[in-house]
Amino acid sequence: MAGRDELLALYEQMAVIRCTEKEAHDLAEDGIEAEVVDLCCLVPLDLSTVLSSLGRTLRLVTVEENPHQGGWGATLVSVVAEEGFGLLDAPVRRVAGECVPLPFADAPAEQIIPTADKAVAAVRNLAAY
């Protein structure tokens, strides 16, 4: 899905991708066009796709299940800072898991792992920047 307002960078992660693509369509109804880029692998990183999308959207939101500290989103943001900082029109937003041990029960896990609602809130926040 192409967009002009936000870039959502994802790396093949269960339902987060499907939910985020659905939410991108919902955001479009509110006038926010979000482009979803699913990074199929991190090594080698398809940086040209990320920078090309960033050139269109000027904003970046990463969405991942990993903990916020040390997640792949941090690596992507650092590469974007080195290679595409001039393309950014707003601060980067990262939506990631909480920095706590992952519980075995489903209910607590849902509070720790990012949800589509958290991703949408980050996109709306960044769109208002």
Side-chain angles (χ1 to χ4, degrees):
M1 171 176 211
R4 63 170 167 49
D5 297 321
E6 309 261 348
L7 161 62
L8 287 143
L10 309 165
Y11 173 66
E12 291 191 29
Q13 310 242 318
M14 47 148 244
V16 172
I17 292 172
R18 289 187 296 277
C19 291
T20 305
E21 288 175 346
K22 176 196 174 300
E23 298 301 328
H25 289 287
D26 293 345
L27 285 166
E29 293 177 2
D30 294 337
I32 300 172
E33 293 183 28
E35 182 167 327
V36 178
V37 173
D38 178 8
L39 302 170
C40 294
C41 67
L42 299 175
V43 178
L45 176 62
D46 187 1
L47 186 58
S48 63
T49 297
V50 173
L51 294 178
S52 175
S53 179
L54 190 58
R56 288 188 296 277
T57 62
L58 310 178
R59 290 172 166 79
L60 172 62
V61 175
T62 63
V63 181
E64 65 177 305
E65 290 180 347
N66 298 315
H68 193 269
Q69 293 176 327
W72 65 262
T75 300
L76 178 62
V77 170
S78 72
V79 172
V80 166
E82 291 174 355
E83 304 291 330
F85 183 76
L87 299 172
L88 291 168
D89 196 29
V92 173
R93 295 287 185 250
R94 292 183 55 222
V95 180
E98 300 293 326
C99 294
V100 298
L102 190 60
F104 292 105
D106 288 339
E110 291 174 1
Q111 295 172 348
I112 295 169
I113 295 174
T115 62
D117 290 339
K118 290 178 184 177
V120 167
V123 168
R124 290 185 192 283
N125 179 279
L126 197 54
Y129 181 82

